[in-house]
Amino acid sequence: MPETFKRIACVGEAMIELSLGASEGAARVGYAGDTLNTAIYLRRLLPEDYEVEFVSAVGVDPLSDRMLAFIESEGVGVAHMRRHPDRIPGLYAITTDDAGERSFTYWRSASAARTLFADDGGETFAALSRFDLVYFSAITLAILSPAQRADLFAWIDGFRAAGGKVAFDSNFRPKLWENLATAQKDVEIAWRKCDIAFPSVDDEMDLFGDADAEAVMQRFEGYGVPYGALKRGGEGPLPIGVSLDTPNSYRMVDKVVDTTAAGDSFIGGFLSQYAQGAGIGAALLAGHECAARVITCPGAIIPKEIWNAGA
Ligand code: ADP
């Protein structure tokens, strides 16, 4: 029997999203964040008896309550969410210029999520230890203090030694890091500590100065990363750690509407197959199929009704 992973935790920051229309005085409110996006697509794709949890820190304010209600409405658990007494969630606004180009403006430097593993991790590490598979990203790392990052890395060592699996995506956002050297150091530590890696060529080139996909693959071989996928946008993913049973080609998307959450949804699709014990070929195809759907709709999360209708 292949190994299956029934309890999955996605760890990171979710933010309030304001989508501003052309006219003043109106905005649509949503909730999104890289690891939350992955959790939602993973939940939609897995059988019901699998558990998907989003682990983060929010406030005790009404918007935090609404955010949690939204996450729960997607079937994603929030039982281990920390509640900070004074802080509130981060927020970002999306504005679109006359040419249709989108800009993102963030207010997140004092968000509650930055205290996710404060006070030695509180009860959060103990809660995470009960999962089979834990997924986080370099955005998760970047928002933490150096002390919290060190605690997270130490926890990962114990979790893996006890048989837990860790998945990681670099999602490099330069503005969130103290400096490039720290980002390189900590992301490399994370790559070396993960069981399933989801780098994307662009992020790795920006962060580590790799010349191309081949250079990224060589560096990952050097790290000894056992499994995963290198995301290459429309070219389709390359398997990491294995070469058998991989697809020869991927469906092209004729009309890309919005590539927001392409990588996050790819990981949701990939992990949905991996968690059920499927091989790398099925995982790569499921990742690509999920991302290919998401990039034909605006925004990070395809509304549930549209998703259920098979869009
Ligand atoms: P990230 O968002 O992490 O940088 P990518 O841009 O590589 O990741 O996109 C993730 C996945 O989404 C790709 O591996 C691919 O499966 C799918 N994808 C992205 N862009 C396209 C596209 N133009 N056509 C088809 N699939 C795409």
Side-chain angles (χ1 to χ4, degrees), residues 171 200 231-234 237 251 253 256 262-263 266 288 291 295:
N171 266 344
S200 74
K231 292 166 282 158
R232 300 183 302 166
R251 175 164 76 92
V253 175
V256 176
F266 174 88
H288 183 76
I295 62 179

Side-chain angles (χ1 to χ4, degrees), residues 12 37 41 60 64 71 74 81 94 99 120 134 166 184 187 190 198 214 227 250 277 286:
N37 303 339
Y41 288 113
V60 291
S64 291
I71 297 170
E74 286 287 345
M81 195 69 73
I94 306 173
D120 299 326
V134 169
V166 169
Q184 286 174 338
V187 172
F198 295 111
E214 204 177 312
Y227 204 72
Y250 295 92

